[in-house]
Amino acid sequence: MARPNEEVEALLQEYADLVAITGGDAFKVRAYEKAARAIGGYPVDISHLDAHGLREIPNVGRSIADKVLEYLRTGSVAVVEERRAKIPAGVRELIAIPTLGPKKALRLHQDLHICSVDELAAAIASDALRDLKGFGAKTQENILHGIELLRRTGDRIPLHVALDTAEEIVGELSRVTGCRRCAYAGSLRRMKETVGDIDVLVAARASAPFMDALTALPVTAEVIAHGPKKTSVRTSRGVQVDLRVLPPASWGAGLQYFTGSKAHNIRTRTLAVRQGLKLSEYGLFDVESGESVASRTEDEVYARLGLPWIPPTLREDRGEIEAAQRGELPEVVTERGIRGDLHTHTDLTDGLAPLETMVAAAAERGYAYYAVTDHAPRLYMQRMTDEKILAQRERLRALDGTHHGMQLLHGTELNIGPDGELDWPDDFLAGFDLCVASLHSHFDLDRKAMTERLVRACENPHVHVLGHPTTRLIGRRAGVDADWDEVFDACARSGTALEVNAQPDRLDLGDEDILRARRYGVKFAVDTDAHSVPQLGYLRYGVGTAQRGWLTPDDVVNAWPLSRLRRFLRGSGRS
Ligand code: DGT
Ligand code: CA
Ligand code: CA
Ligand code: ZN
């Protein structure tokens, strides 16, 4: 398809969404949607057409043709810009939820200032829709279901959806009489960014009570297979769950086997064979005598293979077996090892909670320090001004140290312009303790321009963290195209940390990119980018991803004591 056609299709679809969400008439919305599809599917490059040619496209009348011409001539359309300015981009995301119409989306925005799907999910979780007319329990349930549908990425389930389900199921099965151990295994235990299905293991003498319990759980919508060794169900969210019950003596071997990955298991089995042993989900056996030599704990199984215990997040056959044999496994960063969050928002821009609430919640997590990084002026929906951010700084300074001694850093999330330029002049930037710089627009520059843009932003001495570097959205948007080796090298040289953004639909950088960036000696920041209190809890997904990228506390600037972090922020982190 010709590129201008695609661009105009997206623009008209966006206009339709904007009209719908601002309560415009349904006829107009449909007219723009139809025209969008027609132009997208039109076989001729529309940039070669005049007004007459455009109107030959089905569903394109004069008014739409005029807007297309305006776009082709100037690169934008005035009425679209006007509507855009009225509505945060995130609200448009809301009407993508299959069970939520534009009217309701608008209400959520106007009455509760909800601007994204994640915020909506958090609002429902915290019962914030309680008093909103037309949003009864049933409606909320439908919306949650719609959010799940939206988040499902192909056949694979996002990590956080799977984790919620798995924890609920493990909680239920742990209460069944006779349960010795219960845990989830598989790709979920390895914290992969999406999982195919959930593998749950139980250690018990009798399997039937657990198999029956799983099929009877409220979340179970359908029983796929029901047997003594394995039972598979599908939940109401469409997630498949495999339950296996193991004899207690086989727990360690079973957990090791079903945690995988398959590639890792092939390596451990080969190690076993070389020692005259056989490794299965039931144990590690001596081939000659048939006797079990290790099976109760994973530790025991790995030890008998001549290895230290390997963290599940490393079990991908990406060098962990060799590192373990050499005694050089990384001591991966843990959630407890993170001393502060360096990328968070408040209701001064698109966050849900006021500064005071976010700070109090962060302190509850036991952080030693915490940075507030609201959006900068260029993201003009957020209406940031110098006065507003300076007033926030005053409020923040007054709160500094008042919650369990937690130290506050005043920061901002800058927008990297098309040429790598930033929102504020250097002297203003110098007033911040910390600057995150991120891409929020112009995602389709060519590789060379994108690389230069990112490198230029990183080289600004006031930029400390490159936020969600690739800007991918898992299952929805690929990352931008850049020469990442060059960007990573620039980050290492300029002392700019790469973010591991913990938003579960971002996880950006992802594990593979982290592994690649690490080789340049780059430092990282594992941040939640929280827009609400519950999102501070997203940290676990960022830490899981950081572990999959083999990061240690030394690699992660927000695992450092504040004094070392401050040196890094002042620039002595630069080499
Ligand atoms: P997923 O569900 O696609 O995200 O990925 P996994 O890793 O959870 O894979 P799954 O659910 O098919 O199996 C769970 C674990 O069980 C897997 O990681 C390793 C182990 N496993 C399953 N089938 C095999 C197999 O044929 N050979 C070996 N060595 N291990 C297996
Ligand atoms: Ca699985
Ligand atoms: Ca499975
Ligand atoms: Zn942010």
Side-chain angles (χ1 to χ4, degrees):
M1 199 198 300
R3 191 155 199 183
N5 298 37
E6 255 177 40
E7 285 172 14
V8 169
E9 176 182 16
L11 187 84
L12 295 181
Q13 180 58 52
E14 185 189 353
Y15 187 59
D17 291 346
L18 290 169
V19 171
I21 211 160
T22 47
D25 87 57
F27 177 78
K28 184 168 174 181
V29 173
R30 269 201 307 279
Y32 276 91
E33 278 175 344
K34 279 196 224 157
R37 277 197 300 275
I39 289 172
Y42 202 60
V44 178
D45 183 337
I46 54 161
S47 62
H48 301 317
L49 300 179
D50 58 13
H52 181 75
L54 285 171
R55 290 183 61 182
E56 285 188 347
I57 304 174
N59 299 312
V60 176
R62 197 177 71 207
S63 153
I64 291 176
D66 284 347
K67 290 188 179 71
V68 174
L69 287 173
E70 185 187 353
Y71 177 77
L72 294 173
R73 208 171 49 239
T74 68
S76 67
V77 177
V79 291
V80 178
E81 296 300 329
E82 272 166 39
R83 295 261 181 178
R84 269 185 187 163
K86 286 187 196 148
I87 297 283
V91 176
R92 273 172 274 146
E93 214 184 296
L94 293 183
I95 54 176
I97 301 171
T99 51
L100 186 72
K103 287 233 169 63
K104 283 203 160 65
L106 185 66
R107 285 278 305 286
L108 290 168
H109 174 56
Q110 286 177 337
D111 294 1
L112 296 176
H113 309 291
I114 290 172
C115 304
S116 73
V117 173
D118 283 344
E119 284 172 16
L120 178 54
I124 292 175
S126 65
D127 205 18
L129 273 50
R130 189 177 52 231
D131 297 321
L132 205 59
K133 204 164 156 271
F135 287 85
K138 188 74 205 159
T139 305
Q140 294 194 29
E141 203 182 301
N142 283 339
I143 295 174
L144 280 179
H145 183 66
I147 292 175
E148 241 76 65
L149 288 175
L150 186 72
R151 282 176 175 168
R152 212 167 294 146
T153 57
D155 289 342
R156 297 184 68 80
I157 309 136
L159 174 60
H160 65 303
V161 174
L163 204 50
D164 285 350
T165 306
E167 285 178 340
E168 189 182 331
I169 291 172
V170 167
E172 296 279 354
L173 295 181
S174 300
R175 281 197 286 278
V176 174
T177 314
C179 180
R180 300 280 194 83
R181 306 291 297 264
C182 182
Y184 57 81
S187 52
L188 183 57
R189 185 165 179 240
R190 303 196 311 277
M191 295 291 275
K192 253 185 100 141
E193 61 197 32
T194 62
V195 312
D197 66 8
I198 298 173
D199 301 282
V200 177
L201 302 179
V202 162
R205 291 198 186 288
S207 74
F210 299 92
M211 302 309 191
D212 294 344
L214 178 67
T215 60
L217 286 183
V219 298
T220 296
E222 181 195 342
V223 178
I224 300 165
H226 190 163
K229 285 208 167 135
K230 176 177 162 186
T231 292
S232 297
V233 303
R234 198 178 311 282
T235 71
S236 50
R237 298 162 156 191
V239 182
Q240 182 173 329
V241 182
D242 293 345
L243 170 64
R244 295 171 178 93
V245 180
L246 307 159
S250 298
W251 174 253
L255 186 57
Q256 197 282 327
Y257 180 89
F258 289 112
T259 296
S261 66
K262 276 174 196 153
H264 176 87
N265 286 358
I266 289 168
R267 298 295 306 277
T268 50
R269 257 195 334 239
T270 308
L271 287 178
V273 169
R274 287 207 199 117
Q275 299 173 54
L277 303 170
K278 178 177 176 295
L279 180 60
S280 76
E281 63 264 51
Y282 296 107
L284 190 54
F285 299 92
D286 185 291
V287 173
E288 264 175 34
S289 68
E291 261 169 50
S292 165
V293 297
S295 64
R296 280 201 167 267
T297 66
E298 279 194 329
D299 254 334
E300 201 178 291
V301 172
Y302 279 108
R304 190 64 183 72
L305 294 174
L307 301 172
W309 179 81
I310 299 176
T313 43
L314 298 183
R315 300 183 196 172
E316 298 289 348
D317 191 23
R318 292 197 284 215
E320 73 279 9
I321 301 277
E322 291 78 1
Q325 284 170 329
R326 290 195 306 267
E328 288 170 8
L329 269 184
E331 297 255 347
V332 286
V333 65
T334 61
E335 209 178 337
R336 289 180 53 132
I338 297 293
R339 298 176 195 237
D341 202 328
L342 300 181
H343 180 174
T344 69
H345 296 274
T346 73
D347 64 359
L348 185 62
T349 55
D350 57 352
L352 273 187
L355 175 68
E356 290 73 13
T357 309
M358 291 302 284
V359 167
E364 283 307 306
R365 298 182 58 87
Y367 286 145
Y369 48 84
Y370 182 73
V372 175
T373 57
D374 271 314
H375 289 288
R378 210 186 262 277
L379 206 64
Y380 59 95
M381 325 289 189
Q382 309 300 341
R383 296 186 163 52
M384 180 53 81
T385 62
D386 296 11
E387 293 70 35
K388 279 161 83 173
I389 200 105
L390 292 175
Q392 182 188 57
R393 186 174 300 164
E394 297 266 302
R395 270 165 79 195
L396 179 134
R397 297 291 183 230
L399 285 170
D400 195 13
T402 57
H403 290 76
H404 314 305
M406 186 177 77
Q407 303 289 299
L408 294 174
L409 301 173
H410 191 237
T412 182
E413 179 177 15
L414 301 165
N415 307 288
I416 304 175
D419 295 317
E421 70 277 24
L422 301 167
D423 303 64
W424 276 301
D426 280 352
D427 60 339
F428 196 82
L429 292 183
F432 289 102
D433 299 321
L434 172 127
C435 294
V436 177
S438 318
L439 300 178
H440 291 117
S441 64
H442 301 87
F443 300 139
D444 49 7
L445 300 189
D446 66 46
R447 172 181 289 225
K448 185 164 172 287
M450 188 64 84
T451 306
E452 284 169 9
R453 174 190 192 190
L454 287 166
V455 167
R456 186 171 160 214
C458 292
E459 283 177 345
N460 184 309
H462 300 294
V463 171
H464 304 105
V465 177
L466 182 60
H468 47 73
T470 76
T471 314
R472 70 162 175 174
L473 292 174
I474 297 170
R476 278 189 288 156
R477 183 172 78 206
V480 297
D481 187 22
D483 180 342
W484 291 106
D485 290 294
E486 218 173 287
V487 176
F488 297 157
D489 194 37
C491 287
R493 271 187 286 109
S494 63
T496 309
L498 286 161
E499 186 171 71
V500 179
N501 188 296
Q503 293 276 323
D505 60 343
R506 290 191 186 273
L507 297 177
D508 183 12
L509 294 178
D511 54 0
E512 304 263 353
D513 287 332
I514 297 172
L515 287 168
R516 189 160 147 201
R518 234 176 116 252
R519 296 201 294 264
Y520 291 86
V522 189
K523 298 301 180 193
F524 298 82
V526 183
D527 295 330
T528 64
D529 196 358
H531 284 66
S532 66
V533 167
Q535 290 189 1
L536 292 171
Y538 285 173
L539 186 70
R540 59 193 309 202
Y541 312 122
V543 169
T545 303
Q547 291 185 349
R548 293 178 59 81
W550 289 47
L551 297 186
T552 68
D554 189 54
D555 298 318
V556 177
V557 298
N558 55 326
W560 298 351
L562 184 57
S563 53
R564 185 176 174 198
L565 173 63
R566 281 205 195 274
R567 279 201 300 281
F568 177 82
L569 296 177
R570 279 198 303 266
S572 41
R574 285 149 223 270
S575 47

